[in-house]
Amino acid sequence: MRVVIAAIQTPFIQGGAQYHILNLEKYLKFSGFDVECVTLPFKFFPEEYISYLMDFCSNLDFSDFSGYKTDIMISLQFPVYYINHHNKILWIMHQHRAVYELYHLQNKNPQLESLKKKIVEFDNKLIPLAKKIFTISRNVAQRLKRYNNIDATPLYHPPPAAESYYCKEYMPFIFYPSRLESLKRQDLLIKAFKYVRSPVKAIIAGSGGQEDYYKRLICSLKLEEKVALLGYISLEEKVALYAHSLGVFFGPYDEDYGYVTLEAMLSQKPVITCTDSGGPLEFVIDGETGFVVPPDPEIIAEKIDWLYFNQAKAINLGKNAKERYKVLIPSWQEVIETLIGNV
Amino acid sequence: MDINPTEVSVEEIMRRIREEVRRRKKMLARQEQMSEEGPSFQPSSVKLELEDLFFSSEPLDISQTSYHLRDFLKYHDREFILNAYRGILKREPDPEGLEYYLRNLRSGQMSKVEIIGRLRFSPEGKSKGVKIRGLYLPLAFALSYKVPVLGYFSRLFVGIGNLPIIIKNFEQFEASQYLRWQELQDRFQRNREKISSAFSDLGRQIYSFGEKINLLKRDIEARPRREEIEERFENLHLRLEDVLASITHLKEVQNAFEQRLSSMEEDSREKLSSLQEQLAGEVQVLREALEGRVPREEIEQRISALMRQIGNHKRHIVDMERRLLILLEEARKRLPEPISEAQIREMLKEEDHFLDALYSSLEDRFRGTREDIKERQRVYLPYVKEVLEKVGGGLVLDVGCGRGEWLELLKEEGIEALGIDINRLMVDQCQELGLNVIEGDAIDYLRGQKSNSFAVITGFHIVEHLPLKKMLALFDECLRVLKPGGMVIFETPNPENILVGACYFYMDPTHRNPIPPETLRFLVEERGFTDIKIIRLHKYSDYYSVDTQNPIFNQLFYSEMDYAVLAYSPKL
């Protein structure tokens, strides 16, 4: 059976999405499907390009390539989920966020205004044409319901290299690996260390646009001894840092899904997240597998100290997190059965 | 798990993390290597509880020779029969016996007591003679049951009498069976759980196995087909042969190189020692000079003065030669009386010598240094020595000995030699060196010698100066005066080398014609010499650096510049 995956790529930008699609492709192949991934180049501006790409996609049909018929098309991303196919399965990572849940954060202009109108119209009309509609999280499904009144089923999946994670005796530091972007809010963790009383450190890994700002922030708060920005680290280092951390902070703004939560859970570590963090809220149970707190540095600091001063309980939170992962996250085999089954 | 209460710096944390990453990478690499050797399939080790519950009671002590009936009766079914055999007959039951008694016991045909009795009173049982207390009465009853009519009453009688015991036994039996049943049920439950978890393990493994098979399948598809492999193999084989050939060649080159290296080493060692000697001599001279306190400038001045004087003398001599010639001419014209024959001969003789100085200079200019010549002539020593040995010693005559390099070499080797040359200056030079040389015409001289006078006659760069008649006369005289088995050596320029034939040969204006090697061979052979050898010598490229890429060009231009003919007088 031929499965075509329609995807987008933003050249040179690596993120969770790439791994997600690579793994989908890999496990479809393991399950015996004939798989090909077709990608279109995407960029966030100018708006005209996005608009052009939407028209282009909505006029494409992937059912047939020069006589090679494809049985199923799976698409996860805007705007390639507008591409037509007689057996279209959507597993939506997110819609075009700038015109939905992040719209209030944008600089408004007429182009964006008209793009928003067009996207809502396309989403409303074209998404329901799919045979099945999944989202990668409940959060994404709820947005689809709220903004477009479309019902979708959340379908979780394991993070990349899920089998690599392990747990070791911890050292006194809080770990936060993520791209250094404002939506990831590493500054919440940095600011929290003004209030941390225990000898715990913060280790922040990753690179990105906010690197300079975070560096300056650490300097101005005189936290050089407390907070370290590691920059890019290898997978092995990341896994080892998870394994030895006291706990993980993951407090982004309205995350779609968030591999960090799952990676922490696989490493048996409690996660401190925020009430407005989106995806992580589906996994973290306050006081059981970690903490859900308002995005307030002082309260975050309180929880960090609590983890340090309540070792045994902190370890238990981690154990609970691992158990919860087992309950919530299906294996890739199960994911593929759910995606493709009965089509 | 403990937390270090003192502060740990981020650097320390990262140091430990990196250490761990290194360790784990090594470990994972090892695992990878192992998994590459084939998909690892680890069967789950499921330990099920399978021990037989029915055989769990204490085993019978079979070492005893005396039992009570009770000892046997506490066992049931198969275990009863096993223990009865073991206790009474001291052996394991044979299959037929076991089967027979088990059938009878289970069907009620025989009671336990009767089976014990049968075993005990069988011939085998009697021979073992095991004592069983409390057997006889029950056995009698048991056997009596089998008697018609009486059996019924006897059974009833015993049965009623034993009823309380039977009831007690039955209750005990029931209780113990219930316990066993309970335990079996628990076991069943536990085993079921183990099996089901093993199955789900197996499922996971099969899935990952499937993944690996898919990978392998793709791998195999990606592999080249057999013909392709064979072709590649063929290519590889050919290349291997090439490589082997190259290796052989390289070995040869290496050997040659090593030989050259060792000869060079020897060479340079010799040169070094001779250089050392030379240096020591020079140092000695210098020291003496210093002791004589003659300042260097003065010596140089004296030398250059001497050089000037020599030049002057030379010019003077040449001038005198010219004048003498004119004078002689004049004298011949003016003499009133005819000149006597002896006078003419004397004068002609003088005339012959008027080129001596010129030839001497020519030789100095073009023939090469004394040491070079000696070095080159060393090649003939083995031949000369061989002949001397064969003919029992004798004199070596060098015809046209020139500056006497060859004579000097022979003297150094302890070989007795005589030189003859027509050039008076050269003869003087040789005599100054203490060499045994006479002035005169070689052919005339030879004509005056007896046969068997010489062992070896040599002539270096002589024959090319002679007209054919003289050359043949020389050969004839040589053959005559040589001992049987004696040898002649005539070295001459080799016109096979175009440079020699076209140019170098004529550097000496007294040369007549270049003689090709085969011509010279023909001539000496024709005059009666035997065993003729041609040795080509003095390769151009041995003395001058040349490009050795083009063989034909090299043959024509850079081959041997001289050759020698070696010929022997026939043995008697």
Side-chain angles (χ1 to χ4, degrees):
Chain A
M1 208 193 287
R2 283 200 195 102
V3 179
V4 59
I5 301 173
I8 56 165
Q9 65 171 131
T10 310
F12 302 109
I13 293 186
Q14 287 286 316
Q18 262 78 27
Y19 291 114
H20 186 173
I21 288 165
L22 277 176
N23 275 328
L24 174 63
E25 189 179 351
K26 176 173 139 189
Y27 287 98
L28 279 169
K29 282 180 181 168
F30 279 158
S31 302
F33 292 101
D34 210 355
V35 190
E36 189 91 34
C37 184
V38 181
T39 62
L40 292 180
F42 185 77
K43 47 188 182 179
F44 287 94
F45 45 83
E47 284 86 0
E48 289 84 353
Y49 178 74
I50 298 177
S51 173
Y52 161 76
L53 212 54
M54 287 167 67
D55 292 333
F56 177 68
C57 288
S58 62
N59 282 311
L60 280 177
D61 194 311
F62 275 10
S63 300
D64 183 321
F65 293 98
S66 306
Y68 277 87
K69 300 233 180 307
T70 59
D71 300 298
I72 293 171
M73 181 180 90
I74 300 176
S75 183
L76 298 89
Q77 291 155 304
F78 167 85
V80 285
Y81 55 48
Y82 298 147
I83 295 170
N84 299 290
H85 195 281
H86 61 281
N87 251 335
K88 177 154 85 174
I89 296 170
L90 296 188
W91 189 16
I92 297 170
M93 286 183 185
H94 52 73
Q95 295 166 269
H96 191 59
R97 302 187 68 189
V99 300
Y100 288 110
E101 69 274 13
L102 302 182
Y103 186 66
H104 65 281
L105 300 173
Q106 312 295 317
N107 296 319
K108 306 291 187 297
N109 62 58
Q111 284 90 350
L112 188 66
E113 186 84 27
S114 67
L115 184 68
K116 177 175 160 54
K117 239 183 101 189
K118 182 173 177 176
I119 290 177
V120 173
E121 191 189 310
F122 267 60
D123 279 354
N124 287 344
K125 199 173 83 190
L126 298 178
I127 291 177
L129 296 180
K131 281 272 156 68
K132 291 186 188 179
I133 306 166
F134 298 99
T135 57
I136 59 165
S137 66
R138 205 175 61 215
N139 192 23
V140 176
Q142 282 167 348
R143 290 180 201 152
L144 200 60
K145 182 73 188 165
R146 182 162 70 234
Y147 296 114
N148 310 91
N149 196 27
I150 296 171
D151 289 308
T153 315
L155 173 59
Y156 299 141
H157 67 281
E163 67 288 348
S164 310
Y165 294 91
Y166 61 97
C167 178
K168 280 283 185 75
E169 76 285 358
Y170 57 78
M171 295 186 246
F173 70 92
I174 297 292
F175 187 41
Y176 187 3
S178 204
R179 270 178 300 133
L180 305 182
E181 304 296 351
S182 36
L183 277 181
K184 304 292 180 188
R185 297 198 300 202
Q186 279 89 351
D187 48 350
L188 276 178
L189 181 63
I190 297 170
K191 286 174 187 162
F193 270 79
K194 272 196 304 188
Y195 308 104
V196 168
R197 289 173 298 117
S198 60
V200 173
K201 314 284 182 192
I203 292 182
I204 297 171
S207 56
Q210 295 298 304
E211 192 162 350
D212 277 347
Y213 164 64
Y214 292 148
K215 266 184 193 160
R216 271 184 279 117
L217 184 64
I218 292 167
C219 267
S220 65
L221 296 177
K222 300 197 168 39
L223 288 170
E224 293 94 332
E225 294 292 306
K226 291 265 171 194
V227 182
L229 290 178
L230 291 187
Y232 170 82
I233 55 169
S234 67
L235 172 67
E236 291 87 349
E237 284 174 321
K238 183 171 89 170
V239 167
L241 281 161
Y242 269 121
H244 286 281
S245 66
L246 172 63
V248 170
F249 176 75
F250 187 44
Y253 176 73
D254 201 6
E255 181 77 32
D256 305 323
Y257 184 48
Y259 283 146
V260 174
T261 326
L262 303 176
E263 289 163 353
M265 290 163 91
L266 280 168
S267 309
Q268 283 188 41
K269 300 298 173 182
V271 178
I272 301 172
T273 189
C274 299
T275 46
D276 58 356
S277 286
L281 302 174
E282 296 171 42
F283 306 106
V284 180
I285 303 175
D286 188 35
E288 252 182 63
T289 69
F291 297 106
V292 180
V293 296
D296 176 343
E298 233 178 312
I299 302 172
I300 293 166
E302 220 173 83
K303 295 303 175 190
I304 292 169
D305 282 339
W306 188 93
L307 289 178
Y308 182 80
F309 293 116
N310 297 276
Q311 297 180 37
K313 285 181 190 166
I315 290 165
N316 262 329
L317 293 183
K319 284 183 180 162
N320 294 342
K322 179 75 180 273
E323 288 306 311
R324 187 159 167 76
Y325 177 95
K326 285 188 201 165
V327 172
L328 286 182
I329 310 299
S331 70
W332 267 106
Q333 190 191 7
E334 290 163 332
V335 169
I336 281 159
E337 276 168 19
T338 312
L339 267 180
I340 303 273
N342 315 324
V343 173
Chain B
M1 290 200 208
D2 59 323
I3 294 176
N4 195 335
T6 59
E7 284 218 23
V8 182
S9 69
V10 173
E11 286 72 27
E12 175 60 18
I13 290 168
M14 288 314 293
R15 192 191 60 72
R16 289 194 216 165
I17 293 286
R18 293 199 175 105
E19 176 58 34
E20 175 162 325
V21 167
R22 260 195 301 281
R23 211 157 27 75
R24 287 179 65 85
K25 264 189 184 165
K26 250 189 243 166
M27 192 181 78
L28 286 172
R30 261 204 309 279
Q31 282 177 2
E32 194 118 312
Q33 202 185 354
M34 279 162 71
S35 75
E36 267 173 17
E37 284 158 12
S40 65
F41 184 72
Q42 295 167 333
S44 327
S45 55
V46 188
K47 267 221 169 124
L48 296 179
E49 299 170 52
L50 293 172
E51 323 77 298
D52 203 329
L53 262 184
F54 298 94
F55 290 89
S56 59
S57 47
E58 234 181 277
L60 185 78
D61 182 1
I62 60 164
S63 63
Q64 292 185 23
T65 52
S66 168
Y67 298 93
H68 194 277
L69 183 61
R70 282 194 303 271
D71 295 335
F72 295 105
L73 294 186
K74 68 181 178 191
Y75 300 106
H76 302 284
D77 204 63
R78 174 192 292 269
E79 200 184 8
F80 165 74
I81 293 164
L82 282 173
N83 282 315
Y85 264 83
R86 287 169 187 158
I88 298 163
L89 303 182
K90 302 293 177 201
R91 67 171 171 92
E92 291 298 313
D94 45 282
E96 293 87 341
L98 176 67
E99 209 264 335
Y100 169 74
Y101 284 119
L102 201 55
R103 199 174 60 235
N104 279 304
L105 180 69
R106 283 176 180 167
S107 65
Q109 291 287 315
M110 289 184 195
S111 69
K112 286 180 182 175
V113 173
E114 191 182 344
I115 289 170
I116 299 273
R118 277 169 182 263
L119 286 175
R120 173 65 185 81
F121 296 109
S122 68
E124 196 186 351
K126 280 178 187 161
S127 74
K128 294 282 185 245
V130 173
K131 226 173 164 180
I132 303 174
R133 278 167 285 124
L135 170 66
Y136 300 102
L137 195 61
L139 180 63
F141 277 115
L143 294 175
S144 74
Y145 299 160
K146 301 217 159 170
V147 183
V149 188
L150 175 66
Y152 174 78
F153 287 106
S154 136
R155 198 187 288 237
L156 188 67
F157 176 66
V158 173
I160 291 166
N162 279 344
L163 206 52
I165 301 166
I166 290 170
I167 289 168
K168 188 172 144 246
N169 280 346
F170 185 76
E171 278 170 351
Q172 271 180 353
F173 184 69
E174 192 191 30
S176 79
Q177 289 306 311
Y178 183 73
L179 258 175
R180 279 175 185 167
W181 184 74
Q182 274 277 297
E183 206 194 332
L184 267 179
Q185 240 186 356
D186 289 351
R187 254 190 214 194
F188 178 74
Q189 191 56 33
R190 285 199 295 274
N191 282 341
R192 204 172 65 174
E193 278 168 16
K194 282 181 185 170
I195 288 169
S196 91
S197 96
F199 262 105
S200 70
D201 260 358
L202 207 62
R204 271 197 293 281
Q205 287 196 6
I206 286 170
Y207 180 68
S208 75
F209 210 59
E211 290 179 355
K212 278 177 182 161
I213 286 171
N214 273 324
L215 279 174
L216 277 174
K217 217 162 72 186
R218 261 194 311 269
D219 236 37
I220 288 163
E221 279 161 11
R223 275 180 197 162
R225 282 172 315 119
R226 193 195 157 92
E227 296 92 308
E228 230 174 290
I229 292 171
E230 270 169 0
E231 197 182 314
R232 281 193 206 170
F233 191 79
E234 185 63 24
N235 285 340
L236 275 177
H237 190 70
L238 289 175
R239 272 175 63 188
L240 185 66
E241 278 180 356
D242 283 352
V243 169
L244 284 175
S246 307
I247 288 172
T248 320
H249 177 67
L250 276 175
K251 269 186 190 154
E252 282 166 11
V253 170
Q254 192 194 2
N255 282 342
F257 185 74
E258 275 171 2
Q259 273 174 12
R260 244 183 100 181
L261 204 67
S262 72
S263 81
M264 271 166 72
E265 206 177 64
E266 237 168 73
D267 229 42
S268 54
R269 210 178 293 132
E270 277 171 24
K271 276 185 184 159
L272 197 69
S273 70
S274 83
L275 207 67
Q276 272 174 340
E277 279 168 28
Q278 212 178 317
L279 269 175
E282 267 163 31
V283 166
Q284 186 61 31
V285 169
L286 276 173
R287 192 173 292 144
E288 280 164 14
L290 277 174
E291 276 165 7
R293 295 199 182 267
V294 182
R296 186 189 156 144
E297 292 79 17
E298 201 184 319
I299 294 173
E300 277 174 358
Q301 272 173 12
R302 279 191 205 171
I303 288 173
S304 65
L306 277 171
M307 294 299 283
R308 265 199 308 281
Q309 276 179 8
I310 290 169
N312 287 344
H313 284 315
K314 200 173 169 186
R315 270 197 301 282
H316 190 60
I317 289 166
V318 170
D319 191 45
M320 274 175 43
E321 276 173 356
R322 192 175 54 80
R323 287 180 194 203
L324 191 64
L325 204 64
I326 295 165
L327 217 73
L328 279 170
E329 198 67 26
E330 244 357 82
R332 222 175 341 187
K333 284 181 196 163
R334 293 192 188 179
L335 272 173
E337 288 167 49
I339 303 166
S340 75
E341 212 175 307
Q343 273 176 321
I344 289 168
R345 205 179 295 132
E346 207 49 44
M347 274 193 273
L348 284 175
K349 238 177 168 178
E350 281 307 311
E351 205 178 348
D352 283 346
H353 285 291
F354 90 96
L355 283 174
D356 283 3
L358 174 80
Y359 196 74
S360 198
S361 305
L362 192 80
E363 185 104 328
D364 280 345
R365 176 81 64 87
F366 294 116
R367 180 89 170 98
T369 72
R370 196 169 180 82
E371 288 310 315
D372 285 347
I373 305 292
K374 269 169 79 175
E375 198 52 47
R376 286 184 213 161
Q377 286 172 333
R378 256 178 211 287
V379 73
Y380 301 114
L381 286 173
Y383 297 102
V384 171
K385 286 178 179 169
E386 191 191 341
V387 169
L388 287 173
E389 200 169 305
K390 277 189 184 158
V391 303
L395 199 59
V396 177
L397 175 69
D398 186 28
V399 172
C401 63
R403 297 177 295 185
E405 296 96 343
W406 172 236
L407 292 172
E408 196 174 40
L409 185 63
L410 291 172
K411 193 179 174 183
E412 283 165 13
E413 294 290 319
I415 296 168
E416 205 187 340
L418 171 70
I420 181 165
D421 205 294
I422 203 161
N423 189 318
R424 207 183 281 164
L425 292 180
M426 291 206 182
V427 171
D428 290 345
Q429 208 180 332
C430 286
Q431 284 170 347
E432 272 168 36
L433 289 168
L435 300 172
N436 192 12
V437 175
I438 53 173
E439 185 201 325
D441 179 74
I443 297 169
D444 289 347
Y445 172 78
L446 285 172
R447 281 189 178 134
Q449 302 302 311
K450 291 179 192 155
S451 51
N452 285 351
S453 302
F454 300 99
V456 176
I457 300 174
T458 55
F460 295 99
H461 294 256
I462 291 303
V463 290
E464 69 271 22
H465 291 269
L466 304 177
L468 182 63
K469 268 189 190 168
K470 271 202 160 184
M471 200 195 299
L472 295 177
L474 176 67
F475 295 161
D476 291 345
E477 287 308 314
C478 285
L479 193 59
R480 189 179 63 77
V481 300
L482 276 179
K483 290 183 172 184
M487 173 180 70
V488 290
I489 300 174
F490 293 113
E491 189 186 292
T492 186
N494 182 9
E496 286 172 338
N497 179 319
I498 276 175
L499 290 174
V500 173
C503 175
Y504 298 146
F505 183 85
Y506 299 102
M507 302 270 265
D508 183 341
T510 64
H511 278 178
R512 297 185 75 88
N513 296 306
I515 308 163
E518 287 311 310
T519 305
L520 195 56
R521 174 205 284 275
F522 169 78
L523 292 174
V524 292
E525 192 170 24
E526 210 274 336
R527 302 319 283 185
F529 286 93
T530 57
D531 290 336
I532 296 143
K533 286 192 205 67
I534 302 284
I535 307 174
R536 289 175 174 79
L537 298 157
H538 316 144
K539 223 176 174 155
Y540 186 94
S541 52
D542 287 344
Y543 304 99
Y544 304 95
S545 155
V546 294
D547 178 9
T548 57
Q549 288 306 303
N550 185 334
I552 295 169
F553 189 85
N554 289 336
Q555 188 56 42
L556 290 176
F557 287 87
Y558 299 144
S559 57
E560 292 82 354
M561 296 190 291
D562 297 309
Y563 73 93
V565 61
L566 272 63
Y568 297 82
S569 76
K571 287 171 208 153
L572 288 175

